[in-house]
Amino acid sequence: MSGERMLPCGRGIAVVSLAGHSLKRRSAKLRRRMPSDDLFRRLTVTRLFAGTPLDRPPRCARCGELESVCVCPPAPRPRTPAADQTARLSVEKRRKGKIVTVIAGLASEPEPLSELLTRLKNACGAGGAVKDSTLEIQGDHQQRIRDVLRELGYRVKP
């Protein structure tokens, strides 16, 4: 019985491993032979929440520090590849007769959208903006934008 301790329990004696798991009960005869020792019992009985998230504060997976004092930057989210996205092109007429080419259906990650907008604006020689996860380019540039998006690996629907 290495790594095990006997503790009085109800009608018999419980054999308790050092981890605190009850293995088996012994008869009342063995109980009479074992002295009850409070110090021994205090050393072998584990806490109620031992080993649960409530007992140990959460730690950072990268540096091992407590999450409350961790200074690791947040993990970058993976980008959706261009081949998995389908861009939908449309031309809208705004107030005062202004025409805008709208690109919708792309992943709504702000960094890649702004980079893509910059490339499209340079290719068209026009202004534009990112609004509500859609790209807007001033003027009717459907064919030019379609060519650039296909060159970058996007699927394009009119």
Side-chain angles (χ1 to χ4, degrees):
M1 282 203 306
S2 65
E4 297 176 353
R5 303 285 188 223
M6 291 188 181
L7 294 176
C9 169
R11 292 186 198 161
I13 292 179
V15 178
V16 179
S17 71
L18 292 180
H21 303 289
S22 176
L23 299 175
K24 51 192 167 188
R25 290 180 179 243
R26 300 284 175 156
S27 68
K29 289 181 185 177
L30 281 176
R31 185 174 159 214
R32 285 187 219 124
R33 286 190 235 155
M34 284 289 298
S36 64
D37 185 4
D38 287 337
L39 177 64
F40 171 74
R41 197 175 307 138
R42 274 187 268 141
L43 292 176
T44 57
V45 176
T46 60
R47 295 180 313 276
L48 179 63
F49 295 108
T52 65
L54 298 174
D55 182 44
R56 297 183 186 140
R59 296 194 172 270
C60 174
R62 285 186 269 164
C63 67
E65 291 291 326
L66 293 175
E67 281 185 357
S68 58
V69 294
C70 176
V71 293
C72 294
R77 294 195 303 181
R79 288 187 175 182
T80 308
D84 294 345
Q85 300 182 49
T86 302
R88 290 174 175 24
L89 296 179
S90 63
V91 176
E92 294 180 2
K93 193 169 186 180
R94 300 283 168 92
R95 277 192 248 157
K96 300 181 184 177
K98 304 291 183 182
I99 295 177
V100 176
T101 305
V102 178
I103 302 121
L106 300 176
S108 59
E109 300 159 356
E111 256 182 53
L113 281 181
S114 61
E115 291 171 10
L116 178 61
L117 179 67
T118 304
R119 290 184 91 164
L120 293 174
K121 287 187 333 185
N122 289 339
C124 297
V130 177
K131 291 187 181 175
D132 301 327
S133 72
T134 62
L135 302 176
E136 296 181 355
I137 306 240
Q138 297 169 1
D140 186 1
H141 301 285
Q142 264 189 315
Q143 190 57 46
R144 227 181 256 157
I145 290 172
R146 184 178 287 116
D147 295 339
V148 172
L149 288 175
R150 283 191 179 139
E151 190 179 296
L152 293 173
Y154 290 91
R155 290 178 287 179
V156 181
K157 284 190 176 180

